[in-house]
Amino acid sequence: FVGECKLWGGEKVLLEALTQLLGYTTWRDCKAALIMFNKDVAGFSGVQSTIDSVLRTHPKFLRAVETGRVGEWRFVFQSQEDASREVTVHVFAFNLYVVPERAAKKR
């Protein structure tokens, strides 16, 4: 099992994180996780919709698998090491955004 955690930084960061994650996997790895933390974007639903649409554009994308859960996605990608191997990547997104006014009051 291989996992990668990243701070949300938009589409480019998301695709780079996935490529990095797939680069860690070996022939033996068939499961991985990409965990995204949002600290800077107030509209978290926009972040969530971007994750699904952008990861489908990755060159190694094969198919999506329905999870039935909000904030979680499962995708199957082609292994970077062996084109005949598949890697299932479970993607999680967590919203850590705090409205600046609230953050100032807590100090």
Side-chain angles (χ1 to χ4, degrees):
F1 177 81
V2 180
E4 179 69 28
C5 296
K6 291 287 186 185
L7 292 175
W8 177 255
E11 295 178 16
K12 183 179 179 206
V13 171
L14 179 61
L15 288 172
E16 288 172 354
L18 177 61
T19 299
Q20 182 179 13
L21 176 63
L22 292 175
Y24 293 151
T25 61
T26 65
W27 184 87
R28 224 175 249 177
D29 298 311
C30 61
K31 294 180 183 175
L34 179 59
I35 304 157
M36 300 298 299
F37 297 97
N38 171 53
K39 288 180 28 179
D40 300 319
V41 179
F44 188 59
S45 59
V47 170
Q48 291 180 311
S49 64
T50 300
I51 289 172
D52 184 62
S53 61
V54 169
L55 290 183
R56 291 172 185 263
T57 68
H58 192 277
K60 298 290 183 179
F61 174 81
L62 295 174
R63 64 186 171 279
V65 179
E66 181 62 42
T67 65
R69 297 180 181 176
V70 176
E72 295 182 28
W73 301 263
R74 194 170 296 150
F75 299 96
V76 179
F77 295 92
Q78 186 180 54
S79 168
Q80 294 207 136
E81 187 177 87
D82 183 346
S84 65
R85 296 282 294 168
E86 295 181 351
V87 179
T88 300
V89 177
H90 202 134
V91 182
F92 299 92
F94 296 95
N95 191 23
L96 305 177
Y97 178 79
V98 177
V99 176
E101 298 163 358
R102 289 185 192 167
K105 288 179 183 178
K106 289 183 180 181
R107 293 183 192 165

